[in-house]
Structure formats: C-alpha cells, structure tokens
Amino acid sequence: MDDAAKRTLAVLLSLAATVGVIAALAVLTPRQAQAGATMAAFGSDKALAAFLDEQKRAEEAVYEDEKLDSQMVMSETTSAAAGPADAPASPAKVSGNGEAMAAPQQPADRITNTQEADIDEGGIVKARGDLLIILRRGRLFTVSTAGGGMRPVSRIDAFPPGAEPDAWYDEMLVAGDRVAVVGYSYARGGTEINRFRLSPDGRLSFIDSHALHSSDYYSSRNYASRLVGNKLIFYSAMSAGSRQDPLAALPALRQWTPGAKQGAFRRIASGRRVYAPPQVRANKAAASMVHSITTCDLAAERFDCQATAVLGPPARTFYVARGGVYLWVHDQTWSRRKAIPDMLYRMPLDGGAPTAIEVSGAPIDQFSFREAAEGRLLHVLVARDGEGDGMWSAERGKSRSVALLTLPLDQLDDGHAIAGPRLYRTLDSPGQGWALHNRFVGDHLLYGMGADWEERDGDNGLLLVAPLDGGPVVRVTLPHSVDRIELMGPDAVVVGSGSDAVWFSTILLRGRAQAGDRYRLGGAAEAESRSHGFFYRPDNADGTQGVLGLPVSRAARPAYYQLFESSAAMLFLRRAEDRFQPLGQLAASDEGIADDGCLASCVDWYGNARPIFLRGRVFALLGYELVEGDVRGPAIREVGRISFAPPPVTVPRP
C-alpha cells in the first residue's frame, strides 16, 4: 500500500468510525493541588523500560476484550447515528473570572489567521517583507510583490535533492532567512523537517533534512507545528514501544544524508525527560501512548532539537500558548480500561518539568482552549463524547452535553490534583449534530453544530454564546449550520451552509450577545474548512470596520471536495457600520490548466486557497494563481494576475 493509500485509508476509517454508548462527564471528587509540585520523571532509561514493559504486558492482556468492544460499537452504528441519549446532569454551575479579552491583532507581515497573535502556525503561504512563500503539491515557490507588481522568483522541490518524494508536505513556517517545510513520510517513519535558505531576492536553496520519529500528525483542524520567535514546536505521538524494545517510542531524530544509507534515529529524550502522573503509573495499560513536545531552533546553523514526553492514553487535543503547551489526553471511548483517568498536562516551553491535573470529558479541538489572565487561568470547553482532534475525530462528535472548565493554573501539580465539579459550568446543549465548532471571542465562548462533511447543506442552526463571567447563555437561531466561527474585531462572524448557499452571520458581542447583519451567497459553498482559509483585516483601531476573505466554490458541494479540487473563487466582504457590503469575487482561471508533474503530496490536505492582505494590498491565492484586487471602491476590481505553476509536463507520443 503506497503512502497516499495509507493516509487516505486512515482518513476514511476515521470518518467511518462511530461512537456507541459514551460515558457522560464524570463528577469527580476534588483533590487540592500540592503547591509548586511538578510531575516526576523516570530516573533512568532502565526504569522507564521496565515500566513500559509492564504496561505492554497489561495492554496485551486486555487486547482481545478491546477488539470485542470495538466490534460491538461498530455494530451499533445505525442506532448511534440517531444521536446518543441525553446525558446525566453535568457538574454544578460556577462563574468564570469575567475578564475582558481584546481581539488579537496580526503583525504587519502576518498573513495567517492564527489562534494566538504571537504564535505562528504551519501553513501553505507565508510572507517575509515583499515576498510570498507558497507550499503546493510537494514544491516551494516564491513570488515577489515589490514595486507594486507580482513576479514569480524561485521554485524548488520541498523534499531533499536525490531523495525519494514519498512524504506528505503539509505545513511551512518562516523565520528570518530560514524556511521549514513539515511533512510526514510513512516510508521513513516520521515527521520530516526540511530547511531551506531564502535569499533577500527570494531565491530558495536546500539546507538540510531531518526526520522526527513519530506517527502521522494529521488533523482536520489542528496544525502539527508552531513557531515562537525562532523556536519550532512540534507535537507528536507514538504507540508505546514493543516488549522487545520498550524505548522505541521515545522522541528521536536523524539527519538525511544524500547518497548514503540512512542511519538510526538518535534519541533526543532519555527516561529523565519522560513523565507520568501517579494515576498512570498505578494503572495497568494506562500508558499506551508516548506524547511528545519537541522544540528546535529553526535559525541554528546546526539543526538540533530537545523533547519532553508524557505517558497516557491515546486520544488527544493540544493547544499552544505563549508559556507552554497544553495536552489533554483521554482513553478510547470503547475501551474496557474504565479506570484510566482523563488528564490535562501543561508542558513549559522553557524545558521545565510538566504539571498535570485529573479532568473529565474531552475538548473538541485546539479552539476549545483559551489561556487567560496573563497565563494564570485556562478556559476549556469539554464535551462528554469528545474524541480529540487527531485525523478526522473532531468532525464526528455528536455531543449534546457540554461544560466549561475554568481552571486556575496553580491547581496543576504532579498529577495528584483533581479538577472538582465546582470548576465546571454546565452549558446549554448545542443539540444533535455531527461537527461541533467552538471559539473564544473576547469574553465569550461561542459554539454550535456544523453540517455533515458528506452533505454540507445544513439545516437551520443554533449558535450558543456563553459569557465567561457566568451570565446566562444566549441562544441565537441562524438560517444555516455553524461550520466556522471567526473573530471579526470585537465581534464574531459565523459561516455556514443552508438552502444551497453559504451564509455569513455577524454576532455582536459589545454588551449582550445578539445577531447582527447577514449575507447570503446563493448557489455556493465554503471551499476551505481550515481556520487558515479565512482572514479579516481590520481597517480601524477597534476592528469594527474591515474586509474579510474566504474561498468559495461556485456550486454547493460536500466539504470533502476541497481535498481534490481547486477553489473556484475568493469572496470578499467589507464590514462598515455593522453591516456587510459584498465586494465580489476574484475567480480562478479555467484556462491553461496542465499537468504539473506532481511527485509528492498530490492531494491538498491543507487546501490550496487563501485570502492574503499584505502591506495594504489584497490578493487571492487560488491554486497556482495569485490574483490581486483593488477594494477601494464599492466592488473589488482585478488589477493583476500571475501563474507560478511549474512548466507543464508533456507526454511523448508512442
């Protein structure tokens, strides 16, 4: 089976999986934190190996029972599709801290719609000065926008010269004159990190390539890599090692050398950098996965990385804030290992020891988290049937029962602490559905059910807005599903599908939450589901006026079409005086489409279209085209278009 089939199979299995009977949020007995305590590492590789060997024996003992359970779950697919029964009562209501949060503002050259303003996320297009760097179908491209023009400058394979192009190249980050391309190779068994040098005039040259031992990082919503300054941050996971080699799952790195046999992975974390809370150490078969956070200096002459790992169950969701990485882990819903607790880990970016707390439920995706109060508080939306955000897990939740965890971070310790019921606030149910979407905007939490990826034409939707100060939840009825929630200055915009159209609904959050203006684009659908497919450029100090862009398709299509087709157009809307003003679209050209000779990453898992607002100019990235528009008038006007596609491949006649 080739790499494309492997990832496609993983995605299809993830989409097909259905959860049967799922436990509701547990009402835990609180246990106070031990002030200043951190998690304990294993004293040596020998101690860790002995522990993992014992865990593996216990896991093998329950393997047959788990296979039986999984078969029972799959046999209940039809009945489960109708939605699980209502959950028992959630924990008692408590109020949040009520602090107002300003909408994050993007730096001048930041063109990516990131969750945190000062933390970049791996994407398909980045900017450095007047240069755009674009990752598409296994190649890197640069385009200069200097002097008011657009000019393709450089093109290079995203994989090392002389290497087999057998990886998915999904993400890219830029720091100074260094470009990092992040991919996953099933053949080489890890996350591939390829570095390139970017010259001042936009020329690209290969520097080096390394592989980080890991499982496939893919998530339909989250991103595997972050960048803080020059520090690359990766989340990765590996199933706990075999009994023959218990340490095989530890974080490890190796460099690719052209023309040479590739050497063994070099471990970058010993047992002294692997941690487990008391609940995992005491529970047989609880440490089925090694979860790692790896940091690397992108700008260093010699590429090297350090890693910290924690042990726990497999399902996960992670969120990167300025001070650290939050990792929420929980057991598979069908497992017989009922006593395995859900855990929240906080892993500092400075290499300090992690802290932990026992929790209940599970987040939906990275947007379920918000670090607040200058790093002293963490808000998390949890659902009783959350499965983490690996692969397509976030797209198949059917939660009717959700709660808001408001957690003072001084409650985390070595893992003995338990987040008790008073830290959870029961929230109104979002109703029955498939994909739950959520976002913190200002001092509110917004959430609601989206359309099925296979249908994509949602029914009337319900958006719920929960003030973080504990005020009543506001219910906003919408004529569409809740497929996307984005910040729009101090307010929010909800994008969804309904009645063969894509809708944009303003949610006013200055005071009591309420519905604002709406815009409907008939005969169309959202063409990109990832958060990076949207961008809002504020045009005044408080963000209440601005321009947004979003890729759309000309005919309403199911969402999975975005993986295989180019987006047809980029829609732009102006917001002024709390009303939408349609500016029109910049459309992709149907002419000149040719075989690009793709050798690697030939499915657009991360999409292929982005709105770009760079130094006062407006662009639409549409596949291999970059189109510029002028939005100063009542309608957008195309002022330039280039193709940076590689030369077409000609097939000789027989």
Side-chain angles (χ1 to χ4, degrees), residues 215-260:
S215 299
D216 194 346
Y217 52 71
Y218 183 80
S219 167
S220 63
R221 298 191 187 181
N222 212 339
Y223 304 91
S225 60
R226 303 291 195 277
L227 185 68
V228 179
N230 290 330
K231 182 180 289 186
L232 276 172
I233 303 164
F234 299 97
Y235 166 79
S236 60
M238 286 288 289
S239 180
S242 66
R243 290 176 58 189
Q244 290 73 31
D245 186 4
L247 302 183
L250 291 191
L253 191 71
R254 71 179 177 190
Q255 183 172 357
W256 178 85
T257 304

Side-chain angles (χ1 to χ4, degrees), residues 325-411:
V325 179
Y326 295 90
L327 176 65
W328 190 298
V329 297
H330 58 287
D331 198 22
Q332 298 284 22
T333 53
W334 46 264
S335 175
R336 286 186 181 273
R337 301 171 292 182
K338 304 298 184 186
I340 295 178
D342 301 329
M343 299 296 302
L344 172 64
Y345 300 123
R346 184 181 185 274
M347 306 167 77
L349 294 181
D350 62 6
T355 52
I357 189 169
E358 185 174 336
V359 288
S360 184
I364 304 302
D365 55 26
Q366 74 272 29
F367 295 117
S368 302
F369 295 80
R370 151 81 79 73
E371 188 183 72
E374 298 180 345
R376 300 189 303 273
L377 194 69
L378 184 70
H379 299 294
V380 190
L381 176 70
V382 295
R384 70 182 179 93
D385 61 353
E387 298 183 58
D389 58 14
M391 285 292 176
W392 247 265
S393 295
E395 310 303 336
R396 63 175 187 249
K398 302 177 290 297
S399 182
R400 291 181 177 181
S401 180
V402 294
L404 176 63
L405 171 64
T406 299
L407 180 66
L409 292 179
D410 59 8
Q411 295 294 304

Side-chain angles (χ1 to χ4, degrees), residues 602-615:
C602 299
V603 174
D604 292 320
W605 296 104
Y606 279 53
N608 54 53
R610 299 288 186 268
I612 300 172
F613 297 87
L614 180 64
R615 300 189 168 191

Side-chain angles (χ1 to χ4, degrees), residues 425 428 441 443-446 462-477 490-492 506-516 575 578:
R425 173 190 172 193
D428 290 12
V441 182
D443 56 356
H444 297 81
L445 166 66
L446 285 68
L462 174 65
L463 178 78
L464 297 114
V465 184
L468 298 184
D469 64 1
V473 173
V474 177
R475 303 168 67 88
V476 180
T477 301
D491 303 315
T506 301
I507 307 298
L508 301 171
L509 298 173
R510 289 161 280 168
R512 188 179 187 275
Q514 59 181 308
R575 189 193 189 203
D578 293 339

